[in-house]
Amino acid sequence: NRCEYPARQILREQVVGTGGLGNPAHLTISKKTALELATALGSLAPSLVEPGRAHVEHFAIAFDRAREHRNRFVHGLWQTVAASPPRPATGILLNAKPKGGANPIPAYVTAADIKAVSDHIWALAEYGRQVGIAFSRTGARRLNQKGDPEIDPLPDKPSLLEPCAIEYFISPPAGSG
């Protein structure tokens, strides 16, 4: 998704100066899945100093939630139903179950639901890009050649999406037949 590039850049900052692009760590970062990126960002944040720690931690949480919602739409959308006023066009998500178990249930989304998450992801990607520029590999403010902060003021932290309440699976859960 759109947020993966800034996530990779933030992680790449940790291997800068250790062999450049020839360093195998760069390739390892390039191969990480979105879930692995979210986990790596979450693990990185506590090792940073403020103010970078708070921003990387916030981006990690926001990235992971956006990833879940994006996957909800991309991997769960099974069918669309044309608009029939006053009902808007609707997408039906299958292979869904409430987190924690229970039987699979269909979930419904509209274009407005998808657009809201898409807009959030675009804004989050820009925030991640600014975080990658604003902080050094230690989490301290990155300064330009004049000694001024590279980005000033620091970017506002975007809102967080609610945790995704639906899990998706490709095959039926064990014991379901």
Side-chain angles (χ1 to χ4, degrees), residues 96-98 101-106 169:
K97 64 178 181 170
N103 291 326
I105 55 169
F169 50 88

Side-chain angles (χ1 to χ4, degrees), residues 59 82 98 123 128 133 145 156 159 176:
F59 181 66
I133 293 169
Q145 292 178 346
D156 292 330
S159 62
S176 66

Side-chain angles (χ1 to χ4, degrees), residues 40-51:
L41 285 169
S43 297
L44 169 64
S47 69
L48 303 176
V49 300
E50 293 296 351

Side-chain angles (χ1 to χ4, degrees), residues 53-74:
R53 175 186 299 152
H55 284 273
V56 172
E57 184 174 76
H58 186 80
F59 181 66
I61 293 166
F63 174 81
D64 194 43
R65 289 186 185 179
R67 177 194 62 78
E68 284 187 332
H69 284 273
R70 175 234 178 242
N71 286 349
R72 175 179 176 215
F73 298 139
V74 171

Side-chain angles (χ1 to χ4, degrees), residues 129-153:
R129 186 189 71 77
Q130 290 182 11
V131 167
I133 293 169
F135 303 107
S136 72
R137 64 191 301 188
T138 66
R141 296 288 300 270
R142 187 185 315 274
L143 304 178
N144 63 25
Q145 292 178 346
K146 295 179 184 176
D148 298 323
E150 196 67 46
I151 291 183
D152 196 32

